[in-house]
Amino acid sequence: MMKYSSLSKRRSRGYSMDSIRLFAGSCIFIIVCGNLVMLQSYRSFVDSHSNRDVISDLQDNIPSNLQHSRNRRDIQRDIFNEYASDFLPKIQNIGNSVQYSGTEGRIRKLMQENLVKYKIGELLVERKDLLTCADVDRLENLQYLGSGWNKAVYKVDLDGRSMAVKTVDVSGHTVSECVGRGLNMTDCYAKAAHKIVKEIVLLQALTNEHVVKVLGYCVPDKPFDGDGDTTVAMVTELGEPIDQIKLLQMSWEDRLRISYDLIRVVEFLTRSPYGSVSLNDFQRTQFVRVNGTLKLSDVDDAGFGEPECLHDKHCVIEIGRHNLTKRLKCIDGHCKGFNEYTNIRNAGRHFTSFLLPHGAPKSLRPLLDKIVDDFDNLTNNAMGLVKDLDRVVSMYSSGTYLKRPKNNIKTDYIYHKSRDYPGQFDYRCRFSMNGGSCTVAVFDLQEARDLCNMDSECRGFVWSQQKTWTGRTLVHFKNGVGKAAFNGETDLYVKPS
């Protein structure tokens, strides 16, 4: 009896479990089928938008009898709206589920302020001084300067002014990789052009004396076919590229200027009109020098908005030295100051940590060491670093770093008014501002005399009327004495024998 009863219960439970499995299987089958249908629809949508040129895609989906009513502004607005996600900060996995995310409102504001003001035919802010597509099309004798994964940069002279032209590098990594996946050149060109279009908007949105100025550009309203009138191009100020070798060959005063300009860039990005901005691909190649001023020129990888967070433990920046970290506060769901301190860390890593100490005046080194330490250990914010470098620049330009009376100028050197040794007795010295001569910047005659006295090779110096960015005077040290030539813009000082 017991044996039968137990078997009966097991059989009853078996029937019940079979029914449950059948029901669950039916539900799963229905869900899978539904998802397959949705997936197929989504795939069709993505394929139609990611593998085709945006402009031609828009035109292909508009009835032919209505296409004539869509002007270039309509098409160009759709380009930006389609790729507005490019402006959102990149989602990053930085440990504890911290991720960048931008708000639609911020992006809409950015887009509206840079689209509503544009002239219909040119996608440009309505300013008469900006070059149009017609201007870009007549550019000739372009000199190749360099290229990256996505863009090629050329130098061009137009109406007596040198400019830089950025366009898609058709043999670059982005296009080559795309073509290698089986897509045609038109589609791949459009993919690469999207970053240039993004830069066109961002460089104008982030207007600042330390952001390269856009002089004009052209976004054609037809797909790329290899001809000039289908080429996406941006024209900007022409700047000198930055590389480490050139940086190390600069005078200390020029390196001070780069460090000073750079922290002002970081401070501006901290308080930009569109919120805090991060340079997600911070490199020296993103900057150029325009007439000596450091300017940000490459912003296609810039991100807007601080990373999201749930707790303070999500807001940690790895400093990279001795396993140190910078811990920030999670305020209103975002890591407050994350972009600012990340930019400061990268600025120190790529520029200031090795630029400021080398060759600095001895009396300024304690302050400079503190500034470098603040960059390395993130112990000061951008505004604090700007103030500290303001102080260094002020001390250097005013001569207070010399720690002596300003009028204590000795005149034991033999003075020759309006004289020079042009092309004679030049030699190379350690901290020269010119590779072929010994040219240094001094605060006054006393400093020039002191430096010449400390140099066993120096026999005198030529005092010029040229000034540096801090207002100091350029002097040219000479290692010999001879017959001087007349020069109304220089004076000659010869060391007494």
Side-chain angles (χ1 to χ4, degrees):
M1 186 72 174
M2 178 68 67
K3 191 179 285 189
Y4 176 82
S5 175
S6 299
L7 181 61
S8 176
K9 289 179 180 179
R10 285 197 297 269
R11 187 174 296 165
S12 175
R13 281 197 297 269
Y15 292 148
S16 176
M17 290 301 296
D18 288 344
S19 301
I20 292 173
R21 291 192 185 98
L22 180 62
F23 177 76
S26 301
C27 292
I28 293 173
F29 177 76
I30 293 171
I31 293 172
V32 170
C33 290
N35 280 326
L36 286 174
V37 173
M38 293 176 64
L39 180 60
Q40 184 62 36
S41 300
Y42 173 76
R43 183 174 296 166
S44 299
F45 172 81
V46 170
D47 289 343
S48 67
H49 286 75
S50 63
N51 293 336
R52 303 176 61 192
D53 185 282
V54 179
I55 300 176
S56 60
D57 182 38
L58 289 168
Q59 292 173 329
D60 290 344
N61 287 282
I62 300 171
S64 58
N65 63 331
L66 294 179
Q67 284 193 21
H68 71 276
S69 67
R70 291 180 55 81
N71 57 35
R72 181 182 293 184
R73 181 172 184 168
D74 296 327
I75 296 173
Q76 290 164 335
R77 180 182 289 109
D78 286 335
I79 293 176
F80 283 102
N81 288 335
E82 181 74 19
Y83 288 90
S85 59
D86 287 344
F87 290 87
L88 295 171
K90 302 285 190 294
I91 294 178
Q92 299 182 2
N93 180 11
I94 48 178
N96 300 313
S97 301
V98 180
Q99 65 179 18
Y100 275 95
S101 68
T103 62
E104 182 179 356
R106 183 185 293 114
I107 301 306
R108 291 295 177 188
K109 178 183 177 182
L110 178 63
M111 306 303 270
Q112 289 172 2
E113 292 192 6
N114 286 279
L115 284 175
V116 173
K117 301 175 185 177
Y118 288 110
K119 191 173 180 180
I120 290 178
E122 313 300 342
L123 190 68
L124 301 174
V125 178
E126 294 184 3
R127 285 168 37 198
K128 295 181 180 180
D129 60 327
L130 285 173
L131 301 177
T132 66
C133 285
D135 296 318
V136 173
D137 190 48
R138 68 185 178 92
L139 296 178
E140 297 179 348
N141 300 320
L142 274 69
Q143 303 175 41
Y144 175 77
L145 296 179
S147 60
W149 280 35
N150 189 63
K151 298 184 290 273
V153 183
Y154 300 85
K155 175 186 175 182
V156 66
D157 294 321
L158 181 64
D159 299 330
R161 183 178 185 182
S162 295
M163 306 174 183
V165 179
K166 288 185 179 182
T167 186
V168 173
D169 185 0
V170 293
S171 60
H173 179 85
T174 301
V175 173
S176 298
E177 183 183 53
C178 176
V179 172
R181 295 201 310 266
L183 298 179
N184 61 46
M185 177 58 74
T186 298
D187 297 335
C188 294
Y189 186 94
K191 175 181 173 65
H194 298 150
K195 283 201 171 185
I196 296 180
V197 173
K198 177 182 177 180
E199 275 200 312
I200 290 172
V201 173
L202 289 185
L203 286 175
Q204 292 193 105
L206 300 174
T207 303
N208 184 267
E209 62 179 313
H210 293 291
V211 177
V212 74
K213 184 178 180 181
V214 176
L215 304 176
Y217 52 82
C218 181
V219 180
D221 56 0
K222 56 184 177 179
F224 176 74
D225 61 10
D227 291 337
D229 61 349
T230 62
T231 299
V232 174
M234 173 173 61
V235 185
T236 69
E237 295 175 293
L238 179 66
E240 178 186 2
I242 299 292
D243 64 54
Q244 187 166 350
I245 295 178
K246 288 184 178 179
L247 289 175
L248 294 175
Q249 291 175 339
M250 291 179 181
S251 67
W252 181 81
E253 185 173 354
D254 285 339
R255 286 184 271 119
L256 171 63
R257 184 176 187 179
I258 285 181
S259 300
Y260 184 52
D261 289 346
L262 182 63
I263 192 56
R264 292 173 70 185
V265 172
V266 172
E267 198 278 325
F268 166 70
L269 294 177
T270 300
R271 55 171 180 81
S272 87
Y274 304 101
S276 179
V277 179
S278 64
L279 297 180
N280 296 324
D281 186 27
F282 199 114
Q283 298 182 49
R284 284 184 281 271
T285 54
Q286 291 179 297
F287 300 86
V288 295
R289 294 181 77 199
V290 180
N291 297 323
T293 300
L294 186 75
K295 295 194 177 189
L296 179 63
S297 64
D298 191 338
V299 293
D300 59 3
D301 287 310
F304 290 77
E306 306 278 21
E308 290 185 340
C309 57
L310 297 176
H311 308 285
D312 289 351
K313 64 181 181 180
H314 296 157
C315 304
V316 178
I317 300 177
E318 294 182 1
I319 296 177
R321 295 183 59 190
H322 310 297
N323 296 321
L324 297 177
T325 57
K326 175 73 174 181
R327 299 184 179 276
L328 303 172
K329 293 291 185 181
C330 181
I331 300 176
D332 297 329
H334 292 85
C335 295
K336 183 67 174 178
F338 193 94
N339 291 342
E340 176 180 10
Y341 283 104
T342 299
N343 289 338
I344 290 173
R345 178 195 63 185
N346 291 330
R349 179 180 300 170
H350 292 283
F351 287 93
T352 55
S353 294
F354 69 91
L355 287 183
L356 279 179
H358 178 64
K362 186 176 180 179
S363 60
L364 289 176
R365 287 176 188 172
L367 179 55
L368 294 172
D369 288 342
K370 175 187 177 300
I371 292 172
V372 170
D373 186 70
D374 286 339
F375 271 99
D376 290 344
N377 299 314
L378 305 184
T379 47
N380 203 349
N381 60 20
M383 181 55 73
L385 288 168
V386 168
K387 291 180 179 178
D388 284 346
L389 279 167
D390 267 334
R391 181 183 172 195
V392 172
V393 172
S394 176
M395 292 176 65
Y396 190 65
S397 60
S398 66
T400 55
Y401 76 98
L402 295 171
K403 297 182 178 180
R404 59 170 170 77
K406 293 183 180 180
N407 296 322
N408 184 24
I409 301 177
K410 298 180 180 179
T411 57
D412 53 340
Y413 274 45
I414 302 171
Y415 170 62
H416 301 274
K417 181 178 175 60
S418 301
R419 290 294 183 268
D420 192 1
Y421 289 142
Q424 300 182 70
F425 311 121
D426 290 321
Y427 67 101
R428 299 181 65 180
C429 58
R430 185 177 178 186
F431 300 121
S432 175
M433 303 180 73
N434 188 324
S437 63
C438 186
T439 302
V440 298
V442 297
F443 173 68
D444 56 14
L445 284 171
Q446 179 65 38
E447 185 177 16
R449 173 189 175 278
D450 292 342
L451 291 174
C452 186
N453 286 340
M454 289 187 293
D455 185 347
S456 60
E457 196 171 353
C458 181
R459 296 291 305 278
F461 57 86
V462 175
W463 181 274
S464 76
Q465 295 183 10
Q466 294 175 287
K467 302 291 184 180
T468 66
W469 69 281
T470 60
R472 294 163 64 85
T473 301
L474 290 182
V475 298
H476 310 284
F477 287 1
K478 300 291 182 174
N479 65 357
V481 179
K483 185 177 180 180
F486 175 82
N487 187 339
E489 297 183 353
T490 63
D491 294 321
L492 175 62
Y493 292 82
V494 178
K495 183 186 291 186
S497 6

